[in-house]
Amino acid sequence: MTGSMTGQGRRVLVTGAASGLGKALTEAFRARGDEVLATDLAEGADLRLDVTSGDDWAAAVDHVGRTWGGLDVLVNNAGVAGGGRLDVATLDEWQWITEINLFGAVRGTRAFVPLLKRQGSGRIVNVASLAGLVHPGGMASYNAVKAAVVALTETTGHELASYGVTAHVVCPSYFRTNLMTSLRGHDTALAAVMSKLVEESPTTAEEVAAAVLEGIDRGDEVILPDQAARDAYALKVGDRATYDAVMRAQAAKLDRMGNEGAPA
């Protein structure tokens, strides 16, 4: 089929598509009439893709080329949850989350850039987090990799603009999903806080997905898909002193919860 940058009929690849936001995005694209290659490590995906594997990415590019002859939207969505206070999280935890959440997007982008350049069109959509823009205490590794994804996306947009390729980064706040099943780390106090925020969020993955598609259609380079994300970022930009006070109070509260699970 021939893809288009607007309207229906786009050719879309989504990573981490078997559950959570990836599944919601896949369903939302398909509901609009787009063709979606849903990739994941889990069963139920159209194509197995481990975002840490260069071979898997090469196979995905080959599959897209043979099946569609091109790609209109690449969605680097696959990711895991993690974090932990600076003296609690281990370097192994830092390396694990960086390999998946940052280098997964880097590998996907590198894999498809030659194809997108040749065809002279396309969109790269990287799912980061509000943590890429707003940096609460206790989440240094997660904040750092998501901020890096924001920087990667902006750089990609600048670098590929002359080829007709645009880049968009998605920065949602907490929303109800199964992301916490991937949570790994020694900081059990942080895990309890994050799990509660996810469970009690009024926002669903489907609502985030709908907002993401609207943002892509508008050409937004930074997509803040929920009100909580927009409010938090506006506070940081508009009133830095209050923002800092709120963040430091939250960090102090986390510290008072103790160091259960801290490595010896």
Side-chain angles (χ1 to χ4, degrees), residues 57-259:
W57 276 112
V61 173
D62 180 68
H63 181 94
V64 164
R66 288 185 289 103
T67 304
W68 290 334
L71 187 71
D72 298 307
V73 185
L74 168 65
V75 184
N76 288 312
N77 164 77
V80 292
R85 284 162 290 176
L86 293 166
D87 54 347
V88 181
T90 67
L91 286 180
D92 285 344
E93 291 169 29
W94 276 82
Q95 291 168 348
W96 169 73
I97 200 169
T98 301
E99 185 67 21
I100 298 170
N101 287 9
L102 174 57
F103 282 105
V106 171
R107 287 188 179 91
T109 299
R110 283 177 49 82
F112 275 98
V113 159
L115 180 154
L116 299 176
K117 280 185 171 182
R118 287 195 303 271
Q119 70 185 22
S121 64
R123 299 188 189 277
I124 297 174
V125 181
N126 294 324
V127 177
S129 165
L130 178 63
L133 303 171
V134 171
H135 307 133
M139 296 179 60
S141 61
Y142 194 75
N143 294 343
V145 294
K146 292 302 187 179
V149 172
V150 173
L152 168 67
T153 308
E154 181 179 335
T155 305
T156 300
H158 296 328
E159 192 170 321
L160 300 184
S162 62
Y163 293 91
V165 178
T166 61
H168 314 262
V169 66
V170 181
C171 297
S173 182
Y174 291 100
F175 61 95
R176 297 198 303 277
T177 181
N178 66 337
L179 178 64
M180 299 308 293
T181 61
S182 68
L183 182 65
R184 181 187 298 184
H186 286 80
D187 199 333
T188 57
L190 175 71
V193 171
M194 291 179 66
S195 296
K196 183 176 181 181
L197 288 168
V198 169
E199 292 169 4
E200 296 182 353
S201 172
T203 307
T204 67
E206 290 73 22
E207 290 169 335
V208 172
V212 170
L213 265 62
E214 291 172 2
I216 295 171
D217 290 345
R218 287 192 302 267
D220 294 348
E221 294 180 359
V222 178
I223 301 172
L224 292 162
D226 60 282
Q227 192 60 49
R230 292 188 288 271
D231 289 346
Y233 188 54
L235 178 64
K236 180 176 181 178
V237 172
D239 187 350
R240 184 56 185 257
T242 299
Y243 163 81
D244 285 343
V246 169
M247 289 294 160
R248 289 169 187 178
Q250 291 177 348
K253 181 179 179 180
L254 178 65
D255 220 36
R256 288 193 299 271
M257 294 175 67
N259 287 321

